[in-house]
Amino acid sequence: MTLEANIEPAKNLAAKTAGIMAVVVGPSGAGKDTLMNLAARHFAGRSDIHFVRRVITREGDAGNEDHKSVSDADFDAMEHAGAFAVSWEAHGLKYGIPATVSDELARGHLVVANGSRSVLDRFQAVFPRLKIINVTAQREVLAERLMARGRESREDVLKRLERSSLTVKGGYDVANIDNSGTLDEAGRSIVAELEALIKR
């Protein structure tokens, strides 16, 4: 099941914490979108786990993520109306997690969202039962993947990787998944992590 946004205001989200919010994060090139898509297919049809369809101010066919595409003006209007549990800006885009996630959490279900390490404090403020799944890969692997995209020079990629951290800082409950090897290996890892959360 996929959760989408509506424009009903969020109401006391922090009080609806029977379920667990799992936020998947990781550096560019780690493959978190691919792993989330794999996990979503694996759990398709399950009523106790829900993958969030984020609202993003980018074209609907851009990237490797199924998202709701809106204009900047529409995003701002939705945010003003309380349609998002968490929202943030990064790299010139705006991202929103629908406030409707509270309904599934109130039922004791697991909700999985694509997030950002830079705003985990916002997730923690709203979702006390929070699990961070940090998808990483060896720097050499990240460099190869980023250069294969053809968007940056090798020098720019290496400089960016030198500045970036592969760890999650702060007192969060974190599970690390190394996606340096085969997709099957990392896929089994993320599925196992989510299965364990469902059983909590």
Side-chain angles (χ1 to χ4, degrees), residues 89-154:
E89 295 186 37
H91 309 298
L93 298 174
K94 298 178 181 179
Y95 300 82
I97 302 296
T100 49
V101 298
S102 64
D103 297 333
E104 300 305 332
L105 292 172
R107 297 185 180 99
H109 295 170
L110 173 63
V111 175
V112 186
N114 191 333
S116 170
R117 289 173 294 177
S118 64
V119 294
L120 289 180
D121 58 330
R122 301 184 190 180
F123 281 92
Q124 184 74 81
V126 178
F127 307 109
R129 297 195 72 196
L130 180 68
K131 179 74 175 188
I132 309 302
I133 298 177
N134 183 39
V135 179
T136 65
Q138 297 173 7
R139 292 186 186 276
E140 296 80 6
V141 174
L142 293 175
E144 291 178 4
R145 292 174 181 170
L146 291 174
M147 285 186 289
R149 296 177 180 179
R151 302 173 190 169
E152 300 172 276
S153 68
R154 178 181 178 82

CSV table of all heavy atoms in Angstrom, one decimal, residues 89-154:
chain,number,residue,atom,x,y,z
A,89,GLU,N,13.8,21.2,2.4
A,89,GLU,CA,14.3,21.6,1.1
A,89,GLU,C,15.7,21.1,1.0
A,89,GLU,O,16.5,21.1,1.9
A,89,GLU,CB,14.3,23.1,1.0
A,89,GLU,CG,12.9,23.8,1.0
A,89,GLU,CD,12.9,25.3,0.7
A,89,GLU,OE1,13.8,25.7,-0.2
A,89,GLU,OE2,12.1,26.0,1.3
A,90,ALA,N,16.0,20.7,-0.2
A,90,ALA,CA,17.4,20.2,-0.5
A,90,ALA,C,17.7,20.3,-2.0
A,90,ALA,O,16.8,19.9,-2.8
A,90,ALA,CB,17.6,18.8,0.0
A,91,HIS,N,18.8,20.8,-2.4
A,91,HIS,CA,19.2,20.8,-3.8
A,91,HIS,C,18.2,21.5,-4.7
A,91,HIS,O,18.0,21.1,-5.8
A,91,HIS,CB,19.5,19.4,-4.3
A,91,HIS,CG,20.5,18.6,-3.4
A,91,HIS,ND1,21.8,19.0,-3.2
A,91,HIS,CD2,20.2,17.5,-2.7
A,91,HIS,CE1,22.3,18.1,-2.3
A,91,HIS,NE2,21.4,17.2,-2.0
A,92,GLY,N,17.6,22.5,-4.2
A,92,GLY,CA,16.6,23.3,-5.0
A,92,GLY,C,15.2,22.7,-5.1
A,92,GLY,O,14.4,23.2,-5.8
A,93,LEU,N,15.0,21.6,-4.4
A,93,LEU,CA,13.7,21.0,-4.4
A,93,LEU,C,13.1,20.9,-3.0
A,93,LEU,O,13.8,21.1,-2.0
A,93,LEU,CB,13.8,19.5,-4.9
A,93,LEU,CG,14.3,19.3,-6.3
A,93,LEU,CD1,14.6,17.8,-6.6
A,93,LEU,CD2,13.4,19.9,-7.3
A,94,LYS,N,11.7,20.8,-3.0
A,94,LYS,CA,11.0,20.7,-1.7
A,94,LYS,C,10.4,19.3,-1.6
A,94,LYS,O,9.9,18.8,-2.6
A,94,LYS,CB,9.9,21.8,-1.6
A,94,LYS,CG,10.4,23.2,-1.7
A,94,LYS,CD,9.3,24.2,-1.7
A,94,LYS,CE,9.9,25.6,-1.7
A,94,LYS,NZ,8.8,26.6,-1.7
A,95,TYR,N,10.5,18.7,-0.4
A,95,TYR,CA,10.0,17.4,-0.1
A,95,TYR,C,9.0,17.4,1.0
A,95,TYR,O,9.2,18.1,2.0
A,95,TYR,CB,11.2,16.5,0.2
A,95,TYR,CG,12.3,16.3,-0.8
A,95,TYR,CD1,13.3,17.3,-0.9
A,95,TYR,CD2,12.3,15.3,-1.7
A,95,TYR,CE1,14.3,17.2,-1.9
A,95,TYR,CE2,13.3,15.1,-2.6
A,95,TYR,CZ,14.3,16.1,-2.7
A,95,TYR,OH,15.3,16.0,-3.7
A,96,GLY,N,8.0,16.6,0.9
A,96,GLY,CA,7.0,16.5,2.0
A,96,GLY,C,6.6,15.0,2.2
A,96,GLY,O,6.4,14.2,1.3
A,97,ILE,N,6.5,14.7,3.5
A,97,ILE,CA,5.9,13.4,4.0
A,97,ILE,C,4.5,13.7,4.4
A,97,ILE,O,4.2,14.5,5.3
A,97,ILE,CB,6.7,12.9,5.2
A,97,ILE,CG1,8.2,12.7,4.9
A,97,ILE,CG2,6.1,11.5,5.7
A,97,ILE,CD1,8.5,11.7,3.8
A,98,PRO,N,3.5,13.0,3.7
A,98,PRO,CA,2.1,13.3,4.0
A,98,PRO,C,1.7,13.1,5.4
A,98,PRO,O,2.2,12.1,6.1
A,98,PRO,CB,1.4,12.3,3.1
A,98,PRO,CG,2.4,11.9,2.0
A,98,PRO,CD,3.7,12.0,2.6
A,99,ALA,N,0.9,13.9,5.9
A,99,ALA,CA,0.4,13.8,7.3
A,99,ALA,C,-0.5,12.6,7.5
A,99,ALA,O,-0.7,12.1,8.6
A,99,ALA,CB,-0.4,15.1,7.7
A,100,THR,N,-0.9,12.0,6.4
A,100,THR,CA,-1.8,10.8,6.5
A,100,THR,C,-1.0,9.6,7.0
A,100,THR,O,-1.7,8.6,7.4
A,100,THR,CB,-2.4,10.5,5.1
A,100,THR,OG1,-1.3,10.4,4.1
A,100,THR,CG2,-3.4,11.5,4.7
A,101,VAL,N,0.3,9.7,7.2
A,101,VAL,CA,1.0,8.5,7.8
A,101,VAL,C,0.6,8.3,9.2
A,101,VAL,O,0.7,7.1,9.7
A,101,VAL,CB,2.5,8.8,7.7
A,101,VAL,CG1,3.1,8.9,6.3
A,101,VAL,CG2,2.9,10.0,8.6
A,102,SER,N,0.0,9.3,9.8
A,102,SER,CA,-0.4,9.1,11.2
A,102,SER,C,-1.6,8.1,11.3
A,102,SER,O,-1.7,7.4,12.4
A,102,SER,CB,-0.9,10.5,11.8
A,102,SER,OG,-2.0,11.0,11.1
A,103,ASP,N,-2.4,8.0,10.3
A,103,ASP,CA,-3.5,7.0,10.3
A,103,ASP,C,-3.0,5.6,10.4
A,103,ASP,O,-3.5,4.8,11.2
A,103,ASP,CB,-4.4,7.2,9.1
A,103,ASP,CG,-5.0,8.5,9.0
A,103,ASP,OD1,-5.2,9.1,10.1
A,103,ASP,OD2,-5.3,9.0,7.9
A,104,GLU,N,-1.9,5.3,9.6
A,104,GLU,CA,-1.4,3.9,9.6
A,104,GLU,C,-0.6,3.6,10.9
A,104,GLU,O,-0.6,2.5,11.4
A,104,GLU,CB,-0.5,3.7,8.4
A,104,GLU,CG,-1.2,3.9,7.0
A,104,GLU,CD,-2.4,3.0,6.9
A,104,GLU,OE1,-2.5,1.9,7.6
A,104,GLU,OE2,-3.4,3.3,6.2
A,105,LEU,N,0.1,4.7,11.4
A,105,LEU,CA,0.8,4.5,12.6
A,105,LEU,C,-0.1,4.2,13.8
A,105,LEU,O,0.2,3.4,14.7
A,105,LEU,CB,1.7,5.7,12.9
A,105,LEU,CG,2.9,5.9,12.0
A,105,LEU,CD1,3.5,7.3,12.2
A,105,LEU,CD2,3.9,4.8,12.1
A,106,ALA,N,-1.3,4.9,13.8
A,106,ALA,CA,-2.2,4.7,14.8
A,106,ALA,C,-2.8,3.3,14.8
A,106,ALA,O,-3.2,2.8,15.8
A,106,ALA,CB,-3.4,5.7,14.6
A,107,ARG,N,-2.7,2.6,13.7
A,107,ARG,CA,-3.2,1.2,13.6
A,107,ARG,C,-2.1,0.2,14.0
A,107,ARG,O,-2.3,-1.0,13.9
A,107,ARG,CB,-3.6,0.9,12.1
A,107,ARG,CG,-4.9,1.8,11.7
A,107,ARG,CD,-5.3,1.3,10.3
A,107,ARG,NE,-6.5,2.1,9.9
A,107,ARG,CZ,-6.4,3.1,9.0
A,107,ARG,NH1,-5.2,3.5,8.5
A,107,ARG,NH2,-7.5,3.8,8.7
A,108,GLY,N,-0.9,0.8,14.3
A,108,GLY,CA,0.2,-0.1,14.7
A,108,GLY,C,1.0,-0.6,13.6
A,108,GLY,O,1.7,-1.6,13.7
A,109,HIS,N,0.9,0.0,12.4
A,109,HIS,CA,1.5,-0.5,11.2
A,109,HIS,C,2.9,0.1,11.1
A,109,HIS,O,3.3,1.1,11.7
A,109,HIS,CB,0.7,-0.2,10.0
A,109,HIS,CG,-0.6,-0.9,9.9
A,109,HIS,ND1,-1.6,-0.6,9.0
A,109,HIS,CD2,-1.1,-1.9,10.6
A,109,HIS,CE1,-2.6,-1.3,9.2
A,109,HIS,NE2,-2.3,-2.1,10.2
A,110,LEU,N,3.7,-0.5,10.2
A,110,LEU,CA,5.0,0.0,9.8
A,110,LEU,C,4.9,1.0,8.6
A,110,LEU,O,4.3,0.6,7.6
A,110,LEU,CB,6.0,-1.1,9.5
A,110,LEU,CG,7.4,-0.7,9.0
A,110,LEU,CD1,8.2,0.1,10.0
A,110,LEU,CD2,8.2,-2.0,8.6
A,111,VAL,N,5.5,2.1,8.7
A,111,VAL,CA,5.5,3.1,7.6
A,111,VAL,C,7.0,3.3,7.2
A,111,VAL,O,7.8,3.6,8.1
A,111,VAL,CB,4.8,4.4,8.0
A,111,VAL,CG1,5.0,5.4,6.9
A,111,VAL,CG2,3.4,4.2,8.4
A,112,VAL,N,7.2,3.2,5.9
A,112,VAL,CA,8.6,3.4,5.4
A,112,VAL,C,8.7,4.6,4.5
A,112,VAL,O,7.9,4.7,3.5
A,112,VAL,CB,9.0,2.1,4.6
A,112,VAL,CG1,10.5,2.2,4.2
A,112,VAL,CG2,8.8,0.9,5.4
A,113,ALA,N,9.6,5.5,4.8
A,113,ALA,CA,9.7,6.7,4.0
A,113,ALA,C,11.1,7.0,3.6
A,113,ALA,O,12.1,6.6,4.3
A,113,ALA,CB,9.2,7.9,4.9
A,114,ASN,N,11.3,7.6,2.4
A,114,ASN,CA,12.6,8.0,1.9
A,114,ASN,C,12.9,9.4,2.6
A,114,ASN,O,12.1,10.3,2.4
A,114,ASN,CB,12.5,8.2,0.4
A,114,ASN,CG,13.8,8.4,-0.3
A,114,ASN,OD1,14.7,8.9,0.3
A,114,ASN,ND2,13.9,8.0,-1.5
A,115,GLY,N,14.0,9.5,3.3
A,115,GLY,CA,14.3,10.7,4.0
A,115,GLY,C,15.6,11.3,3.7
A,115,GLY,O,16.2,11.0,2.7
A,116,SER,N,16.1,12.1,4.6
A,116,SER,CA,17.3,12.8,4.5
A,116,SER,C,18.0,12.9,5.8
A,116,SER,O,17.4,13.2,6.8
A,116,SER,CB,17.1,14.2,3.9
A,116,SER,OG,18.3,15.0,4.0
A,117,ARG,N,19.3,12.6,5.8
A,117,ARG,CA,20.1,12.6,7.1
A,117,ARG,C,20.1,14.0,7.7
A,117,ARG,O,20.2,14.1,8.9
A,117,ARG,CB,21.5,12.1,6.9
A,117,ARG,CG,21.6,10.6,6.6
A,117,ARG,CD,23.0,10.3,6.2
A,117,ARG,NE,23.4,10.9,4.9
A,117,ARG,CZ,24.6,10.7,4.4
A,117,ARG,NH1,25.6,10.0,5.0
A,117,ARG,NH2,24.9,11.3,3.3
A,118,SER,N,19.9,15.0,6.9
A,118,SER,CA,20.0,16.4,7.4
A,118,SER,C,18.8,16.8,8.2
A,118,SER,O,18.8,17.9,8.9
A,118,SER,CB,20.2,17.4,6.2
A,118,SER,OG,19.1,17.4,5.4
A,119,VAL,N,17.7,16.1,8.1
A,119,VAL,CA,16.5,16.5,8.8
A,119,VAL,C,15.9,15.4,9.7
A,119,VAL,O,14.7,15.4,10.0
A,119,VAL,CB,15.4,17.0,7.8
A,119,VAL,CG1,15.8,18.2,7.1
A,119,VAL,CG2,15.0,15.9,6.8
A,120,LEU,N,16.8,14.5,10.1
A,120,LEU,CA,16.3,13.4,11.0
A,120,LEU,C,15.8,14.0,12.3
A,120,LEU,O,14.9,13.3,13.0
A,120,LEU,CB,17.4,12.4,11.3
A,120,LEU,CG,17.8,11.6,10.1
A,120,LEU,CD1,19.0,10.6,10.5
A,120,LEU,CD2,16.6,10.8,9.6
A,121,ASP,N,16.3,15.1,12.8
A,121,ASP,CA,15.7,15.7,14.0
A,121,ASP,C,14.2,16.1,13.8
A,121,ASP,O,13.5,16.0,14.8
A,121,ASP,CB,16.5,16.9,14.4
A,121,ASP,CG,16.5,18.0,13.3
A,121,ASP,OD1,16.5,17.7,12.1
A,121,ASP,OD2,16.6,19.2,13.7
A,122,ARG,N,13.8,16.4,12.6
A,122,ARG,CA,12.4,16.7,12.4
A,122,ARG,C,11.6,15.5,12.5
A,122,ARG,O,10.5,15.5,13.0
A,122,ARG,CB,12.3,17.4,11.0
A,122,ARG,CG,13.0,18.7,10.9
A,122,ARG,CD,12.7,19.4,9.6
A,122,ARG,NE,13.7,20.5,9.3
A,122,ARG,CZ,13.6,21.3,8.3
A,122,ARG,NH1,12.7,21.0,7.3
A,122,ARG,NH2,14.5,22.3,8.1
A,123,PHE,N,12.1,14.4,11.9
A,123,PHE,CA,11.4,13.1,12.0
A,123,PHE,C,11.3,12.7,13.5
A,123,PHE,O,10.2,12.2,13.9
A,123,PHE,CB,12.1,12.0,11.2
A,123,PHE,CG,11.8,12.1,9.7
A,123,PHE,CD1,12.7,12.8,8.9
A,123,PHE,CD2,10.8,11.4,9.1
A,123,PHE,CE1,12.4,12.9,7.5
A,123,PHE,CE2,10.5,11.5,7.8
A,123,PHE,CZ,11.4,12.2,7.0
A,124,GLN,N,12.4,12.8,14.2
A,124,GLN,CA,12.4,12.4,15.6
A,124,GLN,C,11.4,13.2,16.4
A,124,GLN,O,10.7,12.6,17.3
A,124,GLN,CB,13.8,12.6,16.2
A,124,GLN,CG,13.9,12.0,17.6
A,124,GLN,CD,13.9,10.5,17.7
A,124,GLN,OE1,14.9,9.9,17.5
A,124,GLN,NE2,12.8,9.9,18.0
A,125,ALA,N,11.2,14.5,16.1
A,125,ALA,CA,10.3,15.3,16.8
A,125,ALA,C,8.8,14.9,16.6
A,125,ALA,O,8.0,15.1,17.5
A,125,ALA,CB,10.5,16.8,16.4
A,126,VAL,N,8.6,14.3,15.5
A,126,VAL,CA,7.2,14.0,15.1
A,126,VAL,C,6.9,12.5,15.4
A,126,VAL,O,5.8,12.1,15.8
A,126,VAL,CB,6.9,14.3,13.6
A,126,VAL,CG1,5.5,13.8,13.3
A,126,VAL,CG2,7.1,15.8,13.4
A,127,PHE,N,7.9,11.6,15.2
A,127,PHE,CA,7.7,10.2,15.4
A,127,PHE,C,8.6,9.6,16.4
A,127,PHE,O,9.8,9.2,16.1
A,127,PHE,CB,8.0,9.5,14.0
A,127,PHE,CG,7.2,10.1,12.9
A,127,PHE,CD1,7.9,10.8,11.9
A,127,PHE,CD2,5.8,9.9,12.8
A,127,PHE,CE1,7.2,11.3,10.8
A,127,PHE,CE2,5.1,10.4,11.7
A,127,PHE,CZ,5.8,11.1,10.7
A,128,PRO,N,8.2,9.5,17.7
A,128,PRO,CA,9.0,9.0,18.7
A,128,PRO,C,9.5,7.5,18.5
A,128,PRO,O,10.6,7.2,18.9
A,128,PRO,CB,8.1,9.1,20.0
A,128,PRO,CG,7.2,10.2,19.7
A,128,PRO,CD,6.9,10.1,18.2
A,129,ARG,N,8.7,6.7,17.8
A,129,ARG,CA,9.1,5.4,17.4
A,129,ARG,C,9.7,5.4,16.0
A,129,ARG,O,9.0,5.2,15.0
A,129,ARG,CB,7.9,4.4,17.5
A,129,ARG,CG,7.3,4.2,18.9
A,129,ARG,CD,6.4,3.0,18.9
A,129,ARG,NE,7.2,1.8,18.9
A,129,ARG,CZ,6.7,0.6,18.6
A,129,ARG,NH1,5.4,0.4,18.3
A,129,ARG,NH2,7.5,-0.5,18.7
A,130,LEU,N,11.0,5.7,16.0
A,130,LEU,CA,11.7,6.0,14.8
A,130,LEU,C,12.8,5.0,14.6
A,130,LEU,O,13.6,4.8,15.5
A,130,LEU,CB,12.2,7.4,14.7
A,130,LEU,CG,12.9,7.9,13.5
A,130,LEU,CD1,12.0,8.0,12.3
A,130,LEU,CD2,13.6,9.3,13.8
A,131,LYS,N,12.9,4.5,13.4
A,131,LYS,CA,14.1,3.6,13.0
A,131,LYS,C,14.7,4.2,11.7
A,131,LYS,O,14.0,4.5,10.8
A,131,LYS,CB,13.6,2.2,12.7
A,131,LYS,CG,14.7,1.2,12.3
A,131,LYS,CD,15.6,0.8,13.4
A,131,LYS,CE,16.6,-0.2,13.0
A,131,LYS,NZ,17.3,-0.8,14.2
A,132,ILE,N,16.0,4.3,11.8
A,132,ILE,CA,16.8,4.8,10.6
A,132,ILE,C,17.4,3.7,9.9
A,132,ILE,O,18.2,2.9,10.6
A,132,ILE,CB,17.8,5.9,11.0
A,132,ILE,CG1,17.2,7.0,11.9
A,132,ILE,CG2,18.5,6.5,9.8
A,132,ILE,CD1,16.1,7.7,11.3
A,133,ILE,N,17.2,3.5,8.6
A,133,ILE,CA,17.9,2.5,7.8
A,133,ILE,C,18.9,3.3,6.9
A,133,ILE,O,18.5,4.0,6.0
A,133,ILE,CB,16.9,1.7,7.0
A,133,ILE,CG1,16.0,0.9,8.0
A,133,ILE,CG2,17.7,0.7,6.1
A,133,ILE,CD1,15.0,0.1,7.3
A,134,ASN,N,20.2,3.2,7.2
A,134,ASN,CA,21.2,3.9,6.5
A,134,ASN,C,21.8,3.0,5.5
A,134,ASN,O,22.6,2.1,5.8
A,134,ASN,CB,22.2,4.4,7.5
A,134,ASN,CG,23.3,5.3,6.9
A,134,ASN,OD1,23.0,6.1,6.0
A,134,ASN,ND2,24.6,5.1,7.3
A,135,VAL,N,21.5,3.3,4.2
A,135,VAL,CA,22.1,2.6,3.1
A,135,VAL,C,23.4,3.2,2.7
A,135,VAL,O,23.5,4.4,2.3
A,135,VAL,CB,21.1,2.5,1.9
A,135,VAL,CG1,21.7,1.8,0.7
A,135,VAL,CG2,19.8,1.9,2.3
A,136,THR,N,24.5,2.5,2.7
A,136,THR,CA,25.8,3.0,2.3
A,136,THR,C,26.5,2.1,1.3
A,136,THR,O,25.9,1.0,0.9
A,136,THR,CB,26.7,3.1,3.6
A,136,THR,OG1,26.9,1.8,4.1
A,136,THR,CG2,26.0,3.9,4.7
A,137,ALA,N,27.6,2.5,0.9
A,137,ALA,CA,28.5,1.7,0.1
A,137,ALA,C,29.9,2.2,0.2
A,137,ALA,O,30.1,3.3,0.7
A,137,ALA,CB,28.0,1.7,-1.4
A,138,GLN,N,30.9,1.4,-0.2
A,138,GLN,CA,32.3,1.8,-0.1
A,138,GLN,C,32.5,3.0,-1.0
A,138,GLN,O,31.8,3.1,-2.1
A,138,GLN,CB,33.2,0.7,-0.6
A,138,GLN,CG,33.1,-0.6,0.4
A,138,GLN,CD,33.9,-1.7,-0.2
A,138,GLN,OE1,34.6,-1.6,-1.2
A,138,GLN,NE2,33.8,-2.9,0.5
A,139,ARG,N,33.3,3.9,-0.6
A,139,ARG,CA,33.5,5.2,-1.4
A,139,ARG,C,33.9,4.9,-2.8
A,139,ARG,O,33.5,5.6,-3.7
A,139,ARG,CB,34.6,6.0,-0.7
A,139,ARG,CG,34.1,6.6,0.6
A,139,ARG,CD,35.1,7.6,1.2
A,139,ARG,NE,34.7,8.0,2.6
A,139,ARG,CZ,33.8,9.0,2.8
A,139,ARG,NH1,33.3,9.6,1.8
A,139,ARG,NH2,33.5,9.3,4.1
A,140,GLU,N,34.7,3.9,-3.1
A,140,GLU,CA,35.1,3.5,-4.5
A,140,GLU,C,33.9,3.2,-5.3
A,140,GLU,O,33.7,3.5,-6.5
A,140,GLU,CB,36.1,2.4,-4.5
A,140,GLU,CG,37.4,2.7,-3.8
A,140,GLU,CD,37.3,2.6,-2.3
A,140,GLU,OE1,36.3,2.1,-1.8
A,140,GLU,OE2,38.3,2.9,-1.6
A,141,VAL,N,33.0,2.4,-4.7
A,141,VAL,CA,31.7,2.0,-5.3
A,141,VAL,C,30.8,3.2,-5.6
A,141,VAL,O,30.3,3.4,-6.7
A,141,VAL,CB,31.0,1.0,-4.5
A,141,VAL,CG1,29.6,0.6,-5.2
A,141,VAL,CG2,31.8,-0.3,-4.4
A,142,LEU,N,30.7,4.1,-4.6
A,142,LEU,CA,29.9,5.3,-4.8
A,142,LEU,C,30.5,6.2,-5.9
A,142,LEU,O,29.7,6.7,-6.8
A,142,LEU,CB,29.9,6.1,-3.5
A,142,LEU,CG,29.2,5.5,-2.3
A,142,LEU,CD1,29.4,6.4,-1.1
A,142,LEU,CD2,27.7,5.3,-2.6
A,143,ALA,N,31.8,6.3,-6.0
A,143,ALA,CA,32.4,7.1,-7.0
A,143,ALA,C,32.1,6.5,-8.4
A,143,ALA,O,31.8,7.3,-9.3
A,143,ALA,CB,33.9,7.2,-6.8
A,144,GLU,N,32.2,5.2,-8.6
A,144,GLU,CA,31.9,4.6,-9.9
A,144,GLU,C,30.5,4.8,-10.3
A,144,GLU,O,30.2,5.1,-11.4
A,144,GLU,CB,32.2,3.1,-9.8
A,144,GLU,CG,33.7,2.7,-9.6
A,144,GLU,CD,33.9,1.3,-9.5
A,144,GLU,OE1,32.9,0.5,-9.6
A,144,GLU,OE2,35.1,0.8,-9.3
A,145,ARG,N,29.6,4.7,-9.3
A,145,ARG,CA,28.1,4.9,-9.7
A,145,ARG,C,27.8,6.3,-10.0
A,145,ARG,O,27.1,6.6,-11.0
A,145,ARG,CB,27.3,4.4,-8.5
A,145,ARG,CG,27.3,2.9,-8.2
A,145,ARG,CD,26.6,2.5,-7.0
A,145,ARG,NE,26.6,1.1,-6.7
A,145,ARG,CZ,26.2,0.6,-5.5
A,145,ARG,NH1,25.7,1.3,-4.6
A,145,ARG,NH2,26.3,-0.8,-5.4
A,146,LEU,N,28.4,7.2,-9.3
A,146,LEU,CA,28.1,8.6,-9.6
A,146,LEU,C,28.7,9.1,-10.9
A,146,LEU,O,28.1,9.8,-11.6
A,146,LEU,CB,28.7,9.5,-8.4
A,146,LEU,CG,27.9,9.4,-7.1
A,146,LEU,CD1,28.7,10.2,-6.0
A,146,LEU,CD2,26.5,9.8,-7.2
A,147,MET,N,29.9,8.6,-11.2
A,147,MET,CA,30.5,9.0,-12.5
A,147,MET,C,29.8,8.3,-13.6
A,147,MET,O,29.7,8.9,-14.7
A,147,MET,CB,32.0,8.5,-12.5
A,147,MET,CG,32.9,9.5,-11.6
A,147,MET,SD,34.6,9.1,-11.7
A,147,MET,CE,34.7,7.6,-10.8
A,148,ALA,N,29.2,7.2,-13.4
A,148,ALA,CA,28.4,6.5,-14.5
A,148,ALA,C,27.2,7.3,-14.9
A,148,ALA,O,26.7,7.2,-16.0
A,148,ALA,CB,28.0,5.1,-14.0
A,149,ARG,N,26.7,8.2,-14.0
A,149,ARG,CA,25.6,9.0,-14.3
A,149,ARG,C,25.9,10.1,-15.3
A,149,ARG,O,25.0,10.7,-15.9
A,149,ARG,CB,25.0,9.7,-13.0
A,149,ARG,CG,24.4,8.7,-12.0
A,149,ARG,CD,24.0,9.4,-10.7
A,149,ARG,NE,23.4,8.4,-9.8
A,149,ARG,CZ,23.0,8.8,-8.6
A,149,ARG,NH1,23.0,10.1,-8.2
A,149,ARG,NH2,22.5,7.9,-7.7
A,150,GLY,N,27.2,10.5,-15.3
A,150,GLY,CA,27.6,11.5,-16.3
A,150,GLY,C,27.3,12.9,-16.0
A,150,GLY,O,27.4,13.8,-16.8
A,151,ARG,N,26.9,13.2,-14.7
A,151,ARG,CA,26.5,14.5,-14.3
A,151,ARG,C,27.7,15.3,-13.8
A,151,ARG,O,27.6,16.5,-13.7
A,151,ARG,CB,25.4,14.4,-13.3
A,151,ARG,CG,24.2,13.7,-13.7
A,151,ARG,CD,23.2,13.5,-12.6
A,151,ARG,NE,22.1,12.6,-12.9
A,151,ARG,CZ,21.3,12.1,-12.0
A,151,ARG,NH1,21.4,12.5,-10.7
A,151,ARG,NH2,20.3,11.3,-12.3
A,152,GLU,N,28.7,14.6,-13.3
A,152,GLU,CA,29.8,15.3,-12.7
A,152,GLU,C,31.1,14.7,-13.2
A,152,GLU,O,31.2,13.6,-13.6
A,152,GLU,CB,29.8,15.2,-11.1
A,152,GLU,CG,28.5,15.7,-10.5
A,152,GLU,CD,28.5,15.3,-9.0
A,152,GLU,OE1,28.0,14.2,-8.7
A,152,GLU,OE2,28.9,16.2,-8.2
A,153,SER,N,32.2,15.5,-13.1
A,153,SER,CA,33.5,15.0,-13.5
A,153,SER,C,34.0,14.1,-12.3
A,153,SER,O,33.5,14.2,-11.2
A,153,SER,CB,34.5,16.2,-13.7
A,153,SER,OG,34.7,16.9,-12.4
A,154,ARG,N,35.0,13.4,-12.6
A,154,ARG,CA,35.6,12.5,-11.6
A,154,ARG,C,36.2,13.3,-10.5
A,154,ARG,O,36.0,12.9,-9.3
A,154,ARG,CB,36.8,11.7,-12.2
A,154,ARG,CG,37.5,10.8,-11.2
A,154,ARG,CD,38.6,10.0,-11.9
A,154,ARG,NE,39.3,9.2,-10.9
A,154,ARG,CZ,38.9,8.0,-10.5
A,154,ARG,NH1,37.8,7.5,-11.0
A,154,ARG,NH2,39.6,7.3,-9.6
